[in-house]
Amino acid sequence: MTPLLFLAVAAAGGVGAALRFVVDGVVRARIRSSYPVGVTIINVTGSFLLGLLTGLALGQLVSEQWLVVLGTGLLGGYTTFSTASFETVRLLQLRRPGAALANGLGMLVASVAVATLGLWLGTLPAA
């Protein structure tokens, strides 16, 4: 990894984290719920975009350097599975096992499903 690529990944990670903050804030302002809707939206959309980006890179439509900057940097900063884990524990502490299961397992299943969809869509132009 070149120093320039390293700096680009770090900067993209900062942008992704800021984007997560904005998206979560907008969702919290519009949807009042003790369920972490914003984190769910962030992780599911980030997983879809990472799948799509990876598919485009597999079809040689996105370079490996852009995959690293956008996938690892931007989307790595945008998604937050550590916060999802924390929210799952918080829901369990609030004695909401159904919501905790939906948050922990449901978000994981949804994220993998949309990442697979994104990967498939990303490989279509090369087919």
Side-chain angles (χ1 to χ4, degrees):
M1 178 179 288
T2 65
L4 182 60
L5 184 58
F6 177 81
L7 290 174
V9 170
V15 171
L19 185 59
R20 171 174 21 112
F21 181 77
V22 169
V23 170
D24 191 45
V26 168
V27 171
R28 284 179 190 256
R30 297 186 192 281
I31 301 172
R32 301 274 181 213
S33 173
S34 61
Y35 185 85
V37 177
V39 173
T40 300
I41 290 171
I42 289 164
N43 284 335
V44 171
T45 57
S47 295
F48 172 77
L49 291 172
L50 184 57
L52 181 66
L53 186 63
T54 302
L56 292 172
L58 287 172
Q60 309 290 325
L61 295 174
V62 171
S63 72
E64 193 170 313
Q65 289 81 13
W66 278 110
L67 177 62
V68 171
V69 170
L70 296 176
T72 304
L74 183 71
L75 295 173
Y78 176 67
T79 57
T80 177
F81 284 91
S82 59
T83 301
S85 300
F86 170 80
E87 293 289 352
T88 300
V89 171
R90 185 185 61 80
L91 290 168
L92 285 172
Q93 289 175 333
L94 293 173
R95 301 182 191 278
R96 297 184 57 201
L101 184 65
N103 189 60
L105 187 59
M107 183 186 315
L108 180 62
V109 169
S111 295
V112 171
V114 297
T116 303
L117 174 64
L119 181 65
W120 177 71
L121 289 172
T123 57
L124 286 179

